[in-house]
């Protein structure tokens, strides 16, 4: 999860995250990693108003940054 947060410091597409972690199953990756990070409010979409927009990317939130830098414990 730390690796995903680190990559999301710049907006990144899901496909690029899959490539970075050599993960083949998009649904499993989304269910096991992306959804939990979103539910913790650690990452969000670049365009929250249109979550199904194919151009959407993931970016780290302020809460995610705090966790990444050790300022927030869960």
């Amino acid at each position: 999860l730390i690796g995903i947060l680190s990559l999301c410091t710049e907006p990144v597409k899901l496909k690029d995250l899959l490539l970075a972690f050599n993960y083949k199953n998009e649904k499993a990756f989304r269910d096991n990693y992306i959804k939990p990070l979103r539910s913790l409010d650690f990452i969000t979409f670049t365009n929250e108003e249109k979550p199904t927009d194919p151009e959407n990317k993931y970016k780290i939130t302020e809460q995610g940054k705090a966790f990444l830098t050790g300022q927030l414990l869960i």
Side-chain angles (χ1 to χ4, degrees):
L1 297 177
I2 299 294
I4 295 171
L5 289 176
S6 296
L7 288 174
C8 288
T9 56
E10 295 291 326
V12 62
K13 287 192 170 216
L14 179 61
K15 289 181 182 182
D16 294 328
L17 289 172
L18 291 169
L19 284 172
F21 294 100
N22 197 27
Y23 216 94
K24 308 271 187 263
N25 188 324
E26 185 175 313
K27 182 183 179 338
F29 188 82
R30 190 180 301 113
D31 290 347
N32 293 330
Y33 302 105
I34 299 300
K35 286 182 179 180
L37 286 170
R38 289 194 69 219
S39 71
L40 290 168
D41 193 34
F42 283 4
I43 62 173
T44 189
F45 286 121
T46 51
N47 187 354
E48 268 297 312
E49 293 79 35
K50 297 182 180 179
T52 58
D53 182 349
E55 294 303 312
N56 245 334
K57 296 179 181 179
Y58 292 101
K59 66 179 181 176
I60 196 167
T61 62
E62 289 303 315
Q63 187 160 319
K65 288 177 188 175
F67 176 77
L68 195 60
T69 59
Q71 297 172 6
L72 173 73
L73 303 175
I74 56 171

